[in-house]
Amino acid sequence: VSKSGEIIIPDPPIARALFSSVRFAWLWLIVRLFLGWQWLHSGWGKLGNPAWMDGGEALKGFWTNAVQVPEQGRPPISYDWYRSFIQFLLDSGSYAWFAKLVVFGEIIIGTLLILGAFTGIAAFLGGFMNWNFIMAGTASTNGMLFLLAILLMLAWKVAGWYGLDRWLLPAIGVPWFHTSDYEISER
């Protein structure tokens, strides 16, 4: 119980070491660079591809295959509500603009992760894209990339220590951190 009467449950030592201390920032650098490269490489490959950039035919084909319900076996999309959502996007022709959103989203997420800028937000957006790819029936590497994104989200405070977050986070401030509550040293 804190001095103000608030009940505080401390993190286990391993969680504190991994997610709140810069001791393992080198590990998050490796994870961040790997994940960032995967996103940047994927988006960059689509950027010059007319099937993605000129009308979104690649995404249209992916969505069309994903909403198909085979006579036997399981459909690529297991949840009817998600299949209806993708069908709505298909019917409204949203693939034309959504394909560009995917391409530029992948490039931006990859760039932010590589630079270590707003790492937690970039990891969340990347994880959200992985979740959507999985929901649409594409396993591929998305499960592993989703797991890495979750770990980076948990480590957001230190994952960008060897990156721009080391300066960005203190500059923009975080609402729960008051320098008067802590002794700050330049180490």
Side-chain angles (χ1 to χ4, degrees), residues 71-155:
E71 290 183 31
Q72 293 181 333
R74 294 180 55 151
I77 299 177
S78 298
Y79 296 98
D80 291 335
W81 64 267
Y82 197 79
R83 188 178 311 105
S84 297
F85 172 65
I86 297 297
Q87 187 65 58
F88 167 76
L89 292 174
L90 270 169
D91 295 343
S92 65
S94 296
Y95 49 84
W97 62 268
F98 210 96
K100 290 179 182 75
L101 182 66
V102 169
V103 172
F104 290 115
E106 289 179 347
I107 291 171
I108 291 168
I109 289 166
T111 301
L112 289 174
L113 288 172
I114 288 170
L115 295 175
F118 305 110
T119 303
I121 295 168
F124 171 79
L125 295 172
F128 184 67
M129 287 181 73
N130 287 130
W131 176 80
N132 276 283
F133 297 153
I134 291 168
M135 289 294 288
T138 302
S140 184
T141 60
N142 286 301
M144 178 58 74
L145 298 180
F146 183 66
L147 172 65
L148 294 176
I150 289 172
L151 291 172
L152 281 177
M153 284 185 275
L154 290 170

